[in-house]
Amino acid sequence: MKATGVVRRIDDLGRIVIPKEIRKNLRIKEGENLEIFIDKENQIVLKKYSLMNNMESFVGVLADSLYSLLKKNILITDGDMVLAASGPLKKEYENGTISESLERALKVRENIVETHEKEIEFIADKKEQCTYTIQSIISGGDAYGLVIAFSLDEPVTEMDGKIIGMATNFLSKYLEE
């Protein structure tokens, strides 16, 4: 475990403050949920909670199914990282940290179908010149992640956007239950 050199006192209500540097480094924003558990060495562990993370194998199957139908690269993310990837660029994108532009798209719940080639950064420090569609996964009024289809050679069509939108709606309904 990495030492931070920071010591915090527990207040009379049992609260501690996570230092700003650590929150920034781990991309923990105000209002986000943390999961608290005890590991095998009886250490308290705080982990960013992602409702989408609990669906990792499920979204992997969905990504593969979308790829087999559309023949476009598929990414399914939560608010921080790529949870599932499928297509020729799968290895380059799996478990990648989403870019600031995708964070913004998620924050404003943007749904985009870009049918003309444009440069975009899906994960940090990796830009692509491609066509793409980005759809937000929204459940109970909260934005949980994105479903993305992109292609470096064949244009993404309006129909591709509708299919990705249908997958996004399916994930949104799934999260509600």
Side-chain angles (χ1 to χ4, degrees):
M1 198 171 286
K2 206 186 309 184
T4 63
V6 177
V7 176
R8 294 288 188 202
R9 182 179 308 273
I10 297 176
D11 73 9
D12 57 340
L13 295 176
R15 299 177 296 197
I16 61 170
V17 174
I18 301 170
K20 183 177 183 176
E21 304 80 40
I22 292 174
R23 291 192 319 262
K24 183 178 179 185
N25 210 3
L26 297 177
R27 300 171 72 169
I28 298 171
K29 298 171 195 84
E30 186 178 320
E32 285 189 318
N33 293 319
L34 295 176
E35 185 176 4
I36 304 169
F37 59 94
I38 298 173
D39 68 8
K40 293 175 185 168
E41 289 86 39
N42 282 331
Q43 295 179 341
I44 297 172
V45 177
L46 300 175
K47 181 179 174 187
K48 267 183 95 165
Y49 179 74
S50 169
L51 190 57
M52 292 285 294
N53 238 356
N54 297 334
M55 301 176 10
E56 207 161 330
S57 62
F58 176 74
V59 295
V61 171
L62 179 60
D64 289 342
S65 298
L66 288 168
Y67 172 72
S68 68
L69 176 67
L70 301 176
K71 301 298 185 230
K72 308 281 192 296
N73 291 287
I74 304 294
L75 306 175
I76 301 177
T77 78
D78 64 6
D80 295 310
M81 64 185 300
V82 176
L83 299 177
S86 192
L89 299 175
K90 175 180 181 167
K91 296 254 187 263
E92 295 179 41
Y93 283 94
E94 293 186 300
N95 300 316
T97 302
I98 67 171
S99 67
E100 288 181 13
S101 60
L102 287 187
E103 280 185 24
R104 279 190 302 276
L106 182 59
K107 187 176 183 178
V108 298
R109 300 151 192 236
E110 205 166 19
N111 291 326
I112 304 165
V113 178
E114 187 60 59
T115 57
H116 296 89
E117 273 195 20
K118 191 173 180 182
E119 187 177 76
I120 187 165
E121 187 177 48
F122 295 117
I123 60 173
D125 302 322
K126 180 156 181 43
K127 294 183 179 178
E128 300 286 4
Q129 187 74 27
C130 60
T131 59
Y132 55 88
T133 182
I134 300 172
Q135 308 280 330
S136 300
I137 302 166
I138 299 169
S139 180
D142 295 321
Y144 286 99
L146 300 164
V147 180
I148 301 163
F150 70 97
S151 178
L152 305 179
D153 43 19
E154 287 183 39
V156 168
T157 65
E158 293 288 333
M159 183 55 74
D160 294 334
K162 289 179 181 179
I163 292 169
I164 294 300
M166 187 175 74
T168 303
N169 287 337
F170 176 77
L171 287 172
S172 297
K173 297 287 184 201
Y174 187 85
L175 285 172
E176 287 176 3
E177 294 181 9

